[in-house]
Amino acid sequence: MGFFTDAYDLFCISLVTKLLGRIYYYEEGSGKPGSLPSNVSSAVTGVAFCGTLAGQLFFGWLGDKLGRKNVYGMTLMLMVLCSVASGLSFGKGPTNVMSTLCFFRFWLGFGIGGDYPLSATIMSEYSNTKTRGAFIAAVFAMQGFGILAGGMVAIIVSSAFKAKYPAPTFELDQIGSTVPQADCVWRIILMFGALSALLTYYWRMKIPETARYSALVAKNAEKAASDMAKVLRVDLEAEQSKVDHLTKETGNDFGLFSSKFDNNNYQILIIITIINFTNTKFK
């Protein structure tokens, strides 16, 4: 549900940009519906991705310091608050509305950026080597369902408002074709993303801390055994000596700019970046 909500919140904005242009940037007598200026459109649609980049770096680091579970709750509440705040963007003028919308969308992306790596990390740390690939794939597959849900919500809300507040076409009535109630449509679509996140908050807080974090990072064998006992529903005995031996062998110097990380990950990251750039250019 984390990836489902992330995808919905990130991509639902593209479904309402034309409506934002018609509501806030229509010029009387222009003969065509209003549209967002290119710089405003880029800012509205792209600011959340900037926040996502910052959130991944910050919450990824914080998750290693405070634990996956604690930070997981922080990112979720940030997403809920900023989803609602995005829909409540105050002001009537285009400058005020777009400025506050961009502000809250950035912090929404910041929370999404934390949810992305934590969702994948928690799933991988709970999985065994046999099922890890399938579980991670299932997590990422929810992104497609989130995008699909965004389109469905937009269609349902738009259809409901169209039935409740019928309006003539733009050719017949340029001003009357965009009813005042249309301002509520894009707000509802954006705020709907808070619902799925809020519904999962209770279960997310009930998740025990991952045993790999408790054992290898926090070095607490008793908590690791207790957490895994809850998940597996069996009695496990803590063996602190094994944890100490394992952490002594592996060390704890696997930082972002360490030689270990460099040797194992940077080549893969470079290859993925090249592939993504090639695909984007091809599209």
Side-chain angles (χ1 to χ4, degrees):
M1 289 307 297
F3 263 67
F4 176 91
T5 305
D6 297 342
Y8 181 95
D9 288 334
L10 278 178
F11 297 103
C12 69
I13 190 65
S14 62
L15 303 171
V16 300
T17 51
K18 285 193 174 183
L19 181 59
L20 290 173
R22 291 194 65 158
I23 295 174
Y24 296 105
Y25 288 90
Y26 169 69
E27 296 180 3
E28 190 172 353
S30 62
K32 58 181 181 179
S35 60
L36 292 177
S38 58
N39 60 330
V40 176
S41 178
S42 299
V44 169
T45 56
V47 68
F49 292 98
C50 297
T52 300
L53 174 61
Q56 286 177 337
L57 296 174
F58 175 75
F59 284 114
W61 168 81
L62 195 64
D64 288 336
K65 297 295 183 182
L66 303 181
R68 294 27 170 147
K69 177 182 176 180
N70 294 331
V71 179
Y72 212 30
M74 296 179 193
T75 60
L76 189 67
M77 290 312 300
L78 183 60
M79 289 163 57
V80 170
L81 293 174
C82 291
S83 291
V84 175
S86 296
L88 298 176
S89 297
F90 45 84
K92 292 186 177 180
T95 302
N96 292 336
V97 174
M98 295 302 123
S99 297
T100 54
L101 178 60
C102 287
F103 175 81
F104 291 123
R105 289 283 299 175
F106 174 84
W107 290 108
L108 174 63
F110 193 75
I112 292 172
D115 195 78
Y116 257 84
L118 286 172
S119 294
T121 300
I122 288 174
M123 180 59 77
S124 66
E125 291 185 348
Y126 269 122
S127 308
N128 56 48
T129 55
K130 184 178 180 180
T131 59
R132 187 173 300 156
F135 283 179
I136 295 297
V139 171
F140 278 85
M142 290 304 295
Q143 188 170 18
F145 288 101
I147 297 173
L148 179 63
M152 293 174 62
V153 170
I155 291 173
I156 293 172
V157 174
S158 300
S159 300
F161 270 79
K162 183 179 180 180
K164 181 67 175 179
Y165 306 102
T169 62
F170 183 81
E171 289 74 15
L172 295 177
D173 188 350
Q174 295 184 0
I175 298 178
S177 62
T178 305
V179 295
Q181 291 80 4
D183 190 54
C184 297
V185 174
W186 67 271
R187 298 178 185 272
I188 293 175
I189 294 173
L190 295 186
M191 287 191 290
F192 194 84
L195 182 61
S196 59
L198 194 60
L199 289 175
T200 59
Y201 183 78
Y202 172 77
W203 288 277
R204 185 171 286 197
M205 291 298 94
K206 295 289 287 185
I207 296 175
E209 184 60 82
T210 64
R212 285 183 172 89
Y213 175 85
S214 298
L216 302 180
V217 181
K219 301 180 182 179
N220 189 335
E222 290 187 3
K223 189 174 188 307
S226 174
D227 291 340
M228 284 309 297
K230 294 177 183 178
V231 176
L232 301 176
R233 298 182 181 179
V234 295
D235 293 329
L236 295 176
E237 183 178 349
E239 298 185 35
Q240 186 66 41
S241 59
K242 289 187 177 182
V243 172
D244 295 338
H245 177 69
L246 184 59
T247 53
K248 184 178 180 180
E249 283 187 346
T250 59
N252 207 19
D253 56 343
F254 210 80
L256 180 62
F257 300 105
S258 65
S259 59
K260 288 185 178 181
F261 187 91
D262 185 14
N263 296 334
N264 289 276
N265 295 280
Y266 278 138
Q267 293 180 358
I268 298 175
L269 291 175
I270 292 172
I271 293 173
I272 292 175
T273 302
I274 294 174
I275 293 173
N276 288 335
F277 175 77
T278 305
N279 289 340
T280 303
K281 187 175 182 181
F282 177 76
K283 290 178 182 179

